């Protein structure tokens, strides 16, 4: 027994040297790919990690004249001020309202769309539908916002159609009415991202073994039964991962979209956290206060991510980490 232990101990250094040589040889063979990866790591470090030092201004009274180091320390004063702000209730209501409805409606729709798209047998028709559904994603919200403003105007196509069908008797200024704003934001976001969001589900469906479909066919399963008992169980891990990410981003209300569609008339329904941070930080120059609000939002997002990850891991045995 002692001889075996001694022999094993004497072989360990050579084993390490062999693994080290193989690792360096593999690294040399992949030097081009590793160089590309290092450039990405360097970019992330420079633009994502180094600027994190600026988070400290959330605890200081910073202005553009003094440096961060020379700015006076105020501790948690900015956080307390935000939590006591009279606008907090409306901001939280708008943010959570828009985000939760998007999550409730906008999350399952790409799954349903991908399931039905996957069942199409005509390749040409399938590609046509994919192209049409993907196209809005590649247009910025500046362009789509202008299109929506034109469609939803008093003399826009939406009012013309509704009046021609007799559904309304006079034009409605949709973007001037706060009660319509949430619906416009949620509907337009789904329209823009439906096809693009379905891509990852289609990729997951492509990896499902054809043998499972053949076995289901032999058992007498129809198309809908195959979707529910073969396709959906196979893409469940993908759905779980994307759901975790969606929950962690529930405080994000798509700043670009809302900034383009909002105006002074619908402000009561369009004032979300991102707009609030933009107004206080950029327009009013309160950099420390807006940083504190953004930091608080990030902390809550992290908590939501951890909770969603833990729940999904217990229920579905799938998690990000």
């Amino acid at each position: 027994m002692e001889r075996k232990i001694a022999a094993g101990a004497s072989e360990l250094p050579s084993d390490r040297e062999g693994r080290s040589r193989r690792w360096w040889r593999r690294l040399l063979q992949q030097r081009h790919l590793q160089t590309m990866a290092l450039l990405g790591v360097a970019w992330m470090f420079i633009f994502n990690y180094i600027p994190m030092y600026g988070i400290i201004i959330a605890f200081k009274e910073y202005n553009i004249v003094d440096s961060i180091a020379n700015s006076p320390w105020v501790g948690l004063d900015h956080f307390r001020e935000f939590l006591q702000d009279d606008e907090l209730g409306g901001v939280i209501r708008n943010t959570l309202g828009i985000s939760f409805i998007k999550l409730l409606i906008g999350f399952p729709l790409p799954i349903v769309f991908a399931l039905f798209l996957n069942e199409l047998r005509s390749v040409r028709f399938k590609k046509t539908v994919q192209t049409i559904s993907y196209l809005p994603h590649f247009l910025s919200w500046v362009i789509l916002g202008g299109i929506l403003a034109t469609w939803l105007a008093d003399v826009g196509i939406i009012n013309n159609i509704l009046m021609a069908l007799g559904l309304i008797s006079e034009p409605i200024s949709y973007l001037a009415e706060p009660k319509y704003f949430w619906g416009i934001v949620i509907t337009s976001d789904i329209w823009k991202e439906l096809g693009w969001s379905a891509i990852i589900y289609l990729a997951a469906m492509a990896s499902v073994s054809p043998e499972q479909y053949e076995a289901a066919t032999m058992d007498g399963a129809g198309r809908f039964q195959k979707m529910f008992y073969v396709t959906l169980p196979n893409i469940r891990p993908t759905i779980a991962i994307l759901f975790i990410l969606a929950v962690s981003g529930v405080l994000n209300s798509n700043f670009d979209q809302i900034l383009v569609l909002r105006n002074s008339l619908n402000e009561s329904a369009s004032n979300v956290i991102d707009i609030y941070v933009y107004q206080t930080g950029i327009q009013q120059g309160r950099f420390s206060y807006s940083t504190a609000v953004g930091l608080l939002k990030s902390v809550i997002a992290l908590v939501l991510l951890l909770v969603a990850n833990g729940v999904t891991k217990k229920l579905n045995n799938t998690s990000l980490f």
Side-chain angles (χ1 to χ4, degrees), residues 52 55 243-252 293-311 320-321:
M52 288 181 69
I55 292 177
F243 179 76
I244 293 171
L245 296 176
V247 170
S248 65
V250 75
L251 293 181
N252 296 324
V293 176
L295 179 59
L296 182 61
K297 172 188 167 185
S298 299
V299 171
I300 296 174
L302 177 61
V303 173
L304 291 174
L305 174 66
L306 295 175
V307 171
N309 187 76
V311 171
L320 286 172
F321 45 85

Side-chain angles (χ1 to χ4, degrees), residues 125-153:
F125 181 67
K126 183 177 181 179
K127 289 183 177 180
T128 302
V129 173
Q130 284 180 311
T131 302
I132 294 173
S133 62
Y134 296 166
L135 184 60
H137 171 79
F138 298 100
L139 300 177
S140 69
W141 274 114
V142 176
I143 297 174
L144 288 181
I147 294 173
L148 288 172
T150 303
W151 287 357
L152 297 171

Side-chain angles (χ1 to χ4, degrees), residues 23-36:
W23 186 85
W24 282 107
R25 192 181 302 115
R26 190 182 306 113
L27 185 64
L28 183 62
Q29 292 172 350
Q30 300 175 352
R31 58 187 180 278
H32 302 297
L33 293 175
Q34 297 295 342
T35 302
M36 294 173 61

Side-chain angles (χ1 to χ4, degrees), residues 91 255-256 258-260 262 270-287 289-291 293-294 297:
V91 169
F255 172 77
D256 295 343
I258 295 181
L259 183 64
V260 169
R262 74 188 301 270
S270 62
N271 193 19
V272 296
I273 291 179
D274 292 336
I275 296 294
Y276 182 82
V277 170
Y278 168 73
Q279 289 178 332
T280 56
I282 303 299
Q283 295 182 345
Q284 300 177 17
R286 303 182 63 190
F287 303 111
Y289 180 77
S290 59
T291 302
V293 176
K297 172 188 167 185

